[in-house]
Amino acid sequence: MRAALALAAAVLPAPVAAQAYQCTPPRQIGALPPLTPDGPPVRAVIGRYTLAVTWAPEFCRADRDPASVECGGRYGRFGFILHGLWPESATGPAPQWCSLTPRPAPQLVRQNLCMTPVPSLLEHEWAKHGSCMAKTPAAYYAAAANLWRELRWPDADRLSRQESLTVGDLRQALALANPRWRPEQIGVVVSRNGWLRELRLCYSRRLRPTGCARAQLGPVDATALKIWRGL
């Protein structure tokens, strides 16, 4: 597992973009407020990974803060964005909150805002998930970015106009765009009203696509799906 993680983070990447029409990060990022963990520390052997991907337009239709990098429109307009790379245990609770330090420097946060355009989320993901799999924030972001840049995204705006769209249609579209992936390796998270919220891409301990656990898959393929258009 360490060898696979080292390979994924071998080269610190240049800024990696989310699915966006454009992205221009703020010139400066101020100091982030201290984190408050939302659960206890859990240290466990890593058995697999999940790459969590958010559909930004669904989140942003409830967030109209003009200062928001993700939703304000001033710094870019986003489609799929990286939520985070999560280590999972083979059995039992996932590792989390292994350390709150070191904190990522503001410049490092800025470098990754076109991939995850939420400064506070970048630090949260490092502290809650990344600190259990990497020694530094930079190594964690590099590993996530190298997986992220391998992915190609279907045109979700076009899919949103498809009649009788289903969860299976989205899985198939993502698999067609990424020949390494199969539908059963792609989890889908929807709201109570059936709107797309997130994708969960399942990786093995060696960071290769693998079948998702049933709880990760989400709704079955035949489930009706709605996608809020935003780009």
Side-chain angles (χ1 to χ4, degrees), residues 147-173:
L147 295 177
W148 181 256
R149 65 158 52 89
E150 292 178 350
L151 297 166
R152 299 294 179 266
W153 299 104
D155 185 342
D157 274 354
R158 182 186 60 79
L159 282 172
S160 72
R161 296 175 171 85
Q162 180 175 315
E163 291 187 12
S164 303
L165 181 69
T166 67
V167 167
D169 293 330
L170 177 59
R171 288 193 176 107
Q172 289 287 351

PDB file of all heavy atoms in Angstrom, residues 147-173:
ATOM      1  N   LEU A 147      -4.685  10.840  -8.994  1.00  0.00           N
ATOM      2  CA  LEU A 147      -5.856  10.040  -9.336  1.00  0.00           C
ATOM      3  C   LEU A 147      -6.875  10.888 -10.080  1.00  0.00           C
ATOM      4  O   LEU A 147      -7.494  10.438 -11.055  1.00  0.00           O
ATOM      5  CB  LEU A 147      -6.492   9.463  -8.062  1.00  0.00           C
ATOM      6  CG  LEU A 147      -5.664   8.465  -7.274  1.00  0.00           C
ATOM      7  CD1 LEU A 147      -6.413   8.044  -6.017  1.00  0.00           C
ATOM      8  CD2 LEU A 147      -5.313   7.248  -8.118  1.00  0.00           C
ATOM      9  N   TRP A 148      -7.052  12.112  -9.630  1.00  0.00           N
ATOM     10  CA  TRP A 148      -8.041  13.018 -10.219  1.00  0.00           C
ATOM     11  C   TRP A 148      -7.750  13.309 -11.686  1.00  0.00           C
ATOM     12  O   TRP A 148      -8.642  13.311 -12.526  1.00  0.00           O
ATOM     13  CB  TRP A 148      -8.074  14.305  -9.401  1.00  0.00           C
ATOM     14  CG  TRP A 148      -9.056  15.335  -9.848  1.00  0.00           C
ATOM     15  CD1 TRP A 148      -8.791  16.481 -10.539  1.00  0.00           C
ATOM     16  CD2 TRP A 148     -10.477  15.313  -9.660  1.00  0.00           C
ATOM     17  NE1 TRP A 148      -9.949  17.180 -10.773  1.00  0.00           N
ATOM     18  CE2 TRP A 148     -10.991  16.481 -10.239  1.00  0.00           C
ATOM     19  CE3 TRP A 148     -11.347  14.417  -9.039  1.00  0.00           C
ATOM     20  CZ2 TRP A 148     -12.350  16.783 -10.221  1.00  0.00           C
ATOM     21  CZ3 TRP A 148     -12.688  14.723  -9.021  1.00  0.00           C
ATOM     22  CH2 TRP A 148     -13.185  15.892  -9.607  1.00  0.00           C
ATOM     23  N   ARG A 149      -6.477  13.551 -11.997  1.00  0.00           N
ATOM     24  CA  ARG A 149      -6.140  13.935 -13.376  1.00  0.00           C
ATOM     25  C   ARG A 149      -6.294  12.781 -14.353  1.00  0.00           C
ATOM     26  O   ARG A 149      -6.374  12.998 -15.567  1.00  0.00           O
ATOM     27  CB  ARG A 149      -4.724  14.510 -13.455  1.00  0.00           C
ATOM     28  CG  ARG A 149      -3.617  13.543 -13.123  1.00  0.00           C
ATOM     29  CD  ARG A 149      -2.285  14.007 -13.729  1.00  0.00           C
ATOM     30  NE  ARG A 149      -1.964  15.368 -13.380  1.00  0.00           N
ATOM     31  CZ  ARG A 149      -1.274  15.756 -12.299  1.00  0.00           C
ATOM     32  NH1 ARG A 149      -0.865  14.837 -11.441  1.00  0.00           N
ATOM     33  NH2 ARG A 149      -0.995  17.009 -12.069  1.00  0.00           N
ATOM     34  N   GLU A 150      -6.385  11.555 -13.856  1.00  0.00           N
ATOM     35  CA  GLU A 150      -6.601  10.403 -14.741  1.00  0.00           C
ATOM     36  C   GLU A 150      -8.042  10.316 -15.239  1.00  0.00           C
ATOM     37  O   GLU A 150      -8.307   9.631 -16.227  1.00  0.00           O
ATOM     38  CB  GLU A 150      -6.264   9.106 -14.005  1.00  0.00           C
ATOM     39  CG  GLU A 150      -4.801   8.913 -13.684  1.00  0.00           C
ATOM     40  CD  GLU A 150      -4.560   7.623 -12.920  1.00  0.00           C
ATOM     41  OE1 GLU A 150      -5.563   6.999 -12.490  1.00  0.00           O
ATOM     42  OE2 GLU A 150      -3.394   7.233 -12.759  1.00  0.00           O
ATOM     43  N   LEU A 151      -8.963  10.977 -14.555  1.00  0.00           N
ATOM     44  CA  LEU A 151     -10.384  10.799 -14.839  1.00  0.00           C
ATOM     45  C   LEU A 151     -10.871  11.744 -15.921  1.00  0.00           C
ATOM     46  O   LEU A 151     -10.409  12.883 -16.039  1.00  0.00           O
ATOM     47  CB  LEU A 151     -11.198  11.020 -13.557  1.00  0.00           C
ATOM     48  CG  LEU A 151     -10.915  10.024 -12.428  1.00  0.00           C
ATOM     49  CD1 LEU A 151     -11.499  10.526 -11.116  1.00  0.00           C
ATOM     50  CD2 LEU A 151     -11.461   8.644 -12.778  1.00  0.00           C
ATOM     51  N   ARG A 152     -11.826  11.268 -16.711  1.00  0.00           N
ATOM     52  CA  ARG A 152     -12.528  12.081 -17.701  1.00  0.00           C
ATOM     53  C   ARG A 152     -14.003  12.077 -17.337  1.00  0.00           C
ATOM     54  O   ARG A 152     -14.552  11.051 -16.935  1.00  0.00           O
ATOM     55  CB  ARG A 152     -12.321  11.513 -19.116  1.00  0.00           C
ATOM     56  CG  ARG A 152     -10.859  11.484 -19.545  1.00  0.00           C
ATOM     57  CD  ARG A 152     -10.287  12.883 -19.689  1.00  0.00           C
ATOM     58  NE  ARG A 152      -8.876  12.881 -20.066  1.00  0.00           N
ATOM     59  CZ  ARG A 152      -7.874  12.952 -19.198  1.00  0.00           C
ATOM     60  NH1 ARG A 152      -8.132  13.023 -17.898  1.00  0.00           N
ATOM     61  NH2 ARG A 152      -6.627  12.940 -19.617  1.00  0.00           N
ATOM     62  N   TRP A 153     -14.635  13.241 -17.497  1.00  0.00           N
ATOM     63  CA  TRP A 153     -15.995  13.390 -16.992  1.00  0.00           C
ATOM     64  C   TRP A 153     -17.010  13.464 -18.120  1.00  0.00           C
ATOM     65  O   TRP A 153     -16.796  14.177 -19.107  1.00  0.00           O
ATOM     66  CB  TRP A 153     -16.093  14.647 -16.120  1.00  0.00           C
ATOM     67  CG  TRP A 153     -15.170  14.532 -14.960  1.00  0.00           C
ATOM     68  CD1 TRP A 153     -13.973  15.149 -14.788  1.00  0.00           C
ATOM     69  CD2 TRP A 153     -15.340  13.669 -13.830  1.00  0.00           C
ATOM     70  NE1 TRP A 153     -13.384  14.746 -13.618  1.00  0.00           N
ATOM     71  CE2 TRP A 153     -14.198  13.839 -13.007  1.00  0.00           C
ATOM     72  CE3 TRP A 153     -16.342  12.786 -13.441  1.00  0.00           C
ATOM     73  CZ2 TRP A 153     -14.042  13.136 -11.815  1.00  0.00           C
ATOM     74  CZ3 TRP A 153     -16.182  12.096 -12.255  1.00  0.00           C
ATOM     75  CH2 TRP A 153     -15.047  12.276 -11.459  1.00  0.00           C
ATOM     76  N   PRO A 154     -18.106  12.740 -18.005  1.00  0.00           N
ATOM     77  CA  PRO A 154     -19.171  12.860 -19.003  1.00  0.00           C
ATOM     78  C   PRO A 154     -19.822  14.228 -18.910  1.00  0.00           C
ATOM     79  O   PRO A 154     -19.680  14.934 -17.907  1.00  0.00           O
ATOM     80  CB  PRO A 154     -20.152  11.748 -18.599  1.00  0.00           C
ATOM     81  CG  PRO A 154     -19.938  11.573 -17.134  1.00  0.00           C
ATOM     82  CD  PRO A 154     -18.474  11.824 -16.898  1.00  0.00           C
ATOM     83  N   ASP A 155     -20.528  14.599 -19.947  1.00  0.00           N
ATOM     84  CA  ASP A 155     -21.226  15.886 -19.980  1.00  0.00           C
ATOM     85  C   ASP A 155     -22.510  15.756 -19.157  1.00  0.00           C
ATOM     86  O   ASP A 155     -23.543  15.326 -19.658  1.00  0.00           O
ATOM     87  CB  ASP A 155     -21.536  16.259 -21.435  1.00  0.00           C
ATOM     88  CG  ASP A 155     -22.143  17.647 -21.565  1.00  0.00           C
ATOM     89  OD1 ASP A 155     -22.628  18.182 -20.550  1.00  0.00           O
ATOM     90  OD2 ASP A 155     -22.139  18.187 -22.685  1.00  0.00           O
ATOM     91  N   ALA A 156     -22.416  16.127 -17.882  1.00  0.00           N
ATOM     92  CA  ALA A 156     -23.569  15.967 -16.992  1.00  0.00           C
ATOM     93  C   ALA A 156     -24.698  16.916 -17.361  1.00  0.00           C
ATOM     94  O   ALA A 156     -25.876  16.598 -17.135  1.00  0.00           O
ATOM     95  CB  ALA A 156     -23.143  16.172 -15.539  1.00  0.00           C
ATOM     96  N   ASP A 157     -24.382  18.082 -17.914  1.00  0.00           N
ATOM     97  CA  ASP A 157     -25.440  18.975 -18.369  1.00  0.00           C
ATOM     98  C   ASP A 157     -26.260  18.322 -19.485  1.00  0.00           C
ATOM     99  O   ASP A 157     -27.487  18.412 -19.517  1.00  0.00           O
ATOM    100  CB  ASP A 157     -24.847  20.299 -18.873  1.00  0.00           C
ATOM    101  CG  ASP A 157     -24.632  21.291 -17.737  1.00  0.00           C
ATOM    102  OD1 ASP A 157     -25.049  20.998 -16.610  1.00  0.00           O
ATOM    103  OD2 ASP A 157     -24.044  22.353 -17.988  1.00  0.00           O
ATOM    104  N   ARG A 158     -25.583  17.662 -20.416  1.00  0.00           N
ATOM    105  CA  ARG A 158     -26.304  16.961 -21.481  1.00  0.00           C
ATOM    106  C   ARG A 158     -27.121  15.815 -20.907  1.00  0.00           C
ATOM    107  O   ARG A 158     -28.281  15.615 -21.274  1.00  0.00           O
ATOM    108  CB  ARG A 158     -25.310  16.435 -22.527  1.00  0.00           C
ATOM    109  CG  ARG A 158     -25.989  15.725 -23.702  1.00  0.00           C
ATOM    110  CD  ARG A 158     -24.986  15.095 -24.627  1.00  0.00           C
ATOM    111  NE  ARG A 158     -24.166  14.101 -23.960  1.00  0.00           N
ATOM    112  CZ  ARG A 158     -24.568  12.863 -23.689  1.00  0.00           C
ATOM    113  NH1 ARG A 158     -25.796  12.461 -24.013  1.00  0.00           N
ATOM    114  NH2 ARG A 158     -23.758  12.021 -23.081  1.00  0.00           N
ATOM    115  N   LEU A 159     -26.523  15.055 -19.987  1.00  0.00           N
ATOM    116  CA  LEU A 159     -27.261  13.962 -19.370  1.00  0.00           C
ATOM    117  C   LEU A 159     -28.507  14.460 -18.646  1.00  0.00           C
ATOM    118  O   LEU A 159     -29.540  13.783 -18.629  1.00  0.00           O
ATOM    119  CB  LEU A 159     -26.365  13.217 -18.377  1.00  0.00           C
ATOM    120  CG  LEU A 159     -25.341  12.236 -18.957  1.00  0.00           C
ATOM    121  CD1 LEU A 159     -24.417  11.751 -17.851  1.00  0.00           C
ATOM    122  CD2 LEU A 159     -26.041  11.055 -19.615  1.00  0.00           C
ATOM    123  N   SER A 160     -28.416  15.652 -18.068  1.00  0.00           N
ATOM    124  CA  SER A 160     -29.553  16.173 -17.301  1.00  0.00           C
ATOM    125  C   SER A 160     -30.776  16.390 -18.179  1.00  0.00           C
ATOM    126  O   SER A 160     -31.895  16.458 -17.668  1.00  0.00           O
ATOM    127  CB  SER A 160     -29.163  17.488 -16.624  1.00  0.00           C
ATOM    128  OG  SER A 160     -29.043  18.548 -17.568  1.00  0.00           O
ATOM    129  N   ARG A 161     -30.584  16.507 -19.480  1.00  0.00           N
ATOM    130  CA  ARG A 161     -31.694  16.724 -20.421  1.00  0.00           C
ATOM    131  C   ARG A 161     -32.240  15.421 -20.990  1.00  0.00           C
ATOM    132  O   ARG A 161     -33.186  15.426 -21.763  1.00  0.00           O
ATOM    133  CB  ARG A 161     -31.247  17.641 -21.557  1.00  0.00           C
ATOM    134  CG  ARG A 161     -30.873  19.047 -21.084  1.00  0.00           C
ATOM    135  CD  ARG A 161     -30.320  19.887 -22.241  1.00  0.00           C
ATOM    136  NE  ARG A 161     -30.151  21.281 -21.870  1.00  0.00           N
ATOM    137  CZ  ARG A 161     -29.082  21.772 -21.266  1.00  0.00           C
ATOM    138  NH1 ARG A 161     -28.064  20.964 -20.959  1.00  0.00           N
ATOM    139  NH2 ARG A 161     -28.997  23.050 -20.953  1.00  0.00           N
ATOM    140  N   GLN A 162     -31.625  14.305 -20.634  1.00  0.00           N
ATOM    141  CA  GLN A 162     -32.039  13.004 -21.157  1.00  0.00           C
ATOM    142  C   GLN A 162     -33.339  12.563 -20.505  1.00  0.00           C
ATOM    143  O   GLN A 162     -33.484  12.588 -19.282  1.00  0.00           O
ATOM    144  CB  GLN A 162     -30.938  11.980 -20.902  1.00  0.00           C
ATOM    145  CG  GLN A 162     -31.255  10.578 -21.397  1.00  0.00           C
ATOM    146  CD  GLN A 162     -30.077   9.650 -21.220  1.00  0.00           C
ATOM    147  OE1 GLN A 162     -28.938  10.003 -21.522  1.00  0.00           O
ATOM    148  NE2 GLN A 162     -30.345   8.457 -20.704  1.00  0.00           N
ATOM    149  N   GLU A 163     -34.285  12.145 -21.314  1.00  0.00           N
ATOM    150  CA  GLU A 163     -35.549  11.671 -20.770  1.00  0.00           C
ATOM    151  C   GLU A 163     -35.353  10.355 -20.034  1.00  0.00           C
ATOM    152  O   GLU A 163     -34.574   9.497 -20.444  1.00  0.00           O
ATOM    153  CB  GLU A 163     -36.570  11.477 -21.901  1.00  0.00           C
ATOM    154  CG  GLU A 163     -37.036  12.776 -22.540  1.00  0.00           C
ATOM    155  CD  GLU A 163     -38.162  12.543 -23.519  1.00  0.00           C
ATOM    156  OE1 GLU A 163     -38.722  11.417 -23.519  1.00  0.00           O
ATOM    157  OE2 GLU A 163     -38.482  13.481 -24.280  1.00  0.00           O
ATOM    158  N   SER A 164     -36.061  10.214 -18.921  1.00  0.00           N
ATOM    159  CA  SER A 164     -36.028   8.985 -18.119  1.00  0.00           C
ATOM    160  C   SER A 164     -34.602   8.614 -17.701  1.00  0.00           C
ATOM    161  O   SER A 164     -34.215   7.441 -17.706  1.00  0.00           O
ATOM    162  CB  SER A 164     -36.665   7.825 -18.901  1.00  0.00           C
ATOM    163  OG  SER A 164     -37.981   8.140 -19.276  1.00  0.00           O
ATOM    164  N   LEU A 165     -33.822   9.616 -17.324  1.00  0.00           N
ATOM    165  CA  LEU A 165     -32.447   9.380 -16.880  1.00  0.00           C
ATOM    166  C   LEU A 165     -32.443   8.518 -15.622  1.00  0.00           C
ATOM    167  O   LEU A 165     -33.255   8.708 -14.715  1.00  0.00           O
ATOM    168  CB  LEU A 165     -31.760  10.717 -16.599  1.00  0.00           C
ATOM    169  CG  LEU A 165     -30.303  10.655 -16.134  1.00  0.00           C
ATOM    170  CD1 LEU A 165     -29.399  10.174 -17.256  1.00  0.00           C
ATOM    171  CD2 LEU A 165     -29.848  12.023 -15.623  1.00  0.00           C
ATOM    172  N   THR A 166     -31.500   7.578 -15.547  1.00  0.00           N
ATOM    173  CA  THR A 166     -31.368   6.706 -14.382  1.00  0.00           C
ATOM    174  C   THR A 166     -29.952   6.770 -13.831  1.00  0.00           C
ATOM    175  O   THR A 166     -29.025   7.240 -14.489  1.00  0.00           O
ATOM    176  CB  THR A 166     -31.682   5.243 -14.733  1.00  0.00           C
ATOM    177  OG1 THR A 166     -30.665   4.750 -15.627  1.00  0.00           O
ATOM    178  CG2 THR A 166     -33.062   5.109 -15.367  1.00  0.00           C
ATOM    179  N   VAL A 167     -29.806   6.259 -12.620  1.00  0.00           N
ATOM    180  CA  VAL A 167     -28.490   6.152 -12.007  1.00  0.00           C
ATOM    181  C   VAL A 167     -27.571   5.292 -12.874  1.00  0.00           C
ATOM    182  O   VAL A 167     -26.390   5.587 -13.034  1.00  0.00           O
ATOM    183  CB  VAL A 167     -28.623   5.567 -10.583  1.00  0.00           C
ATOM    184  CG1 VAL A 167     -27.269   5.151 -10.026  1.00  0.00           C
ATOM    185  CG2 VAL A 167     -29.301   6.573  -9.663  1.00  0.00           C
ATOM    186  N   GLY A 168     -28.114   4.240 -13.448  1.00  0.00           N
ATOM    187  CA  GLY A 168     -27.325   3.379 -14.322  1.00  0.00           C
ATOM    188  C   GLY A 168     -26.807   4.117 -15.544  1.00  0.00           C
ATOM    189  O   GLY A 168     -25.688   3.842 -16.020  1.00  0.00           O
ATOM    190  N   ASP A 169     -27.602   5.043 -16.098  1.00  0.00           N
ATOM    191  CA  ASP A 169     -27.142   5.825 -17.238  1.00  0.00           C
ATOM    192  C   ASP A 169     -25.898   6.636 -16.883  1.00  0.00           C
ATOM    193  O   ASP A 169     -24.958   6.754 -17.685  1.00  0.00           O
ATOM    194  CB  ASP A 169     -28.242   6.785 -17.714  1.00  0.00           C
ATOM    195  CG  ASP A 169     -29.436   6.064 -18.316  1.00  0.00           C
ATOM    196  OD1 ASP A 169     -29.241   4.968 -18.877  1.00  0.00           O
ATOM    197  OD2 ASP A 169     -30.560   6.593 -18.221  1.00  0.00           O
ATOM    198  N   LEU A 170     -25.888   7.213 -15.690  1.00  0.00           N
ATOM    199  CA  LEU A 170     -24.729   7.993 -15.262  1.00  0.00           C
ATOM    200  C   LEU A 170     -23.512   7.091 -15.078  1.00  0.00           C
ATOM    201  O   LEU A 170     -22.400   7.436 -15.505  1.00  0.00           O
ATOM    202  CB  LEU A 170     -25.048   8.734 -13.965  1.00  0.00           C
ATOM    203  CG  LEU A 170     -23.894   9.530 -13.349  1.00  0.00           C
ATOM    204  CD1 LEU A 170     -23.363  10.588 -14.316  1.00  0.00           C
ATOM    205  CD2 LEU A 170     -24.323  10.172 -12.038  1.00  0.00           C
ATOM    206  N   ARG A 171     -23.707   5.941 -14.452  1.00  0.00           N
ATOM    207  CA  ARG A 171     -22.590   5.010 -14.282  1.00  0.00           C
ATOM    208  C   ARG A 171     -22.026   4.585 -15.640  1.00  0.00           C
ATOM    209  O   ARG A 171     -20.805   4.549 -15.837  1.00  0.00           O
ATOM    210  CB  ARG A 171     -23.041   3.770 -13.500  1.00  0.00           C
ATOM    211  CG  ARG A 171     -23.293   4.006 -12.022  1.00  0.00           C
ATOM    212  CD  ARG A 171     -23.425   2.684 -11.287  1.00  0.00           C
ATOM    213  NE  ARG A 171     -23.573   2.895  -9.847  1.00  0.00           N
ATOM    214  CZ  ARG A 171     -24.703   2.731  -9.180  1.00  0.00           C
ATOM    215  NH1 ARG A 171     -25.807   2.331  -9.808  1.00  0.00           N
ATOM    216  NH2 ARG A 171     -24.763   2.944  -7.881  1.00  0.00           N
ATOM    217  N   GLN A 172     -22.905   4.278 -16.581  1.00  0.00           N
ATOM    218  CA  GLN A 172     -22.453   3.865 -17.905  1.00  0.00           C
ATOM    219  C   GLN A 172     -21.706   4.990 -18.604  1.00  0.00           C
ATOM    220  O   GLN A 172     -20.679   4.755 -19.263  1.00  0.00           O
ATOM    221  CB  GLN A 172     -23.659   3.420 -18.749  1.00  0.00           C
ATOM    222  CG  GLN A 172     -24.283   2.106 -18.337  1.00  0.00           C
ATOM    223  CD  GLN A 172     -23.417   0.912 -18.722  1.00  0.00           C
ATOM    224  OE1 GLN A 172     -22.427   1.025 -19.435  1.00  0.00           O
ATOM    225  NE2 GLN A 172     -23.814  -0.273 -18.237  1.00  0.00           N
ATOM    226  N   ALA A 173     -22.185   6.223 -18.475  1.00  0.00           N
ATOM    227  CA  ALA A 173     -21.527   7.358 -19.129  1.00  0.00           C
ATOM    228  C   ALA A 173     -20.128   7.568 -18.568  1.00  0.00           C
ATOM    229  O   ALA A 173     -19.180   7.847 -19.314  1.00  0.00           O
ATOM    230  CB  ALA A 173     -22.371   8.619 -18.955  1.00  0.00           C
TER     231      ALA A 173
END
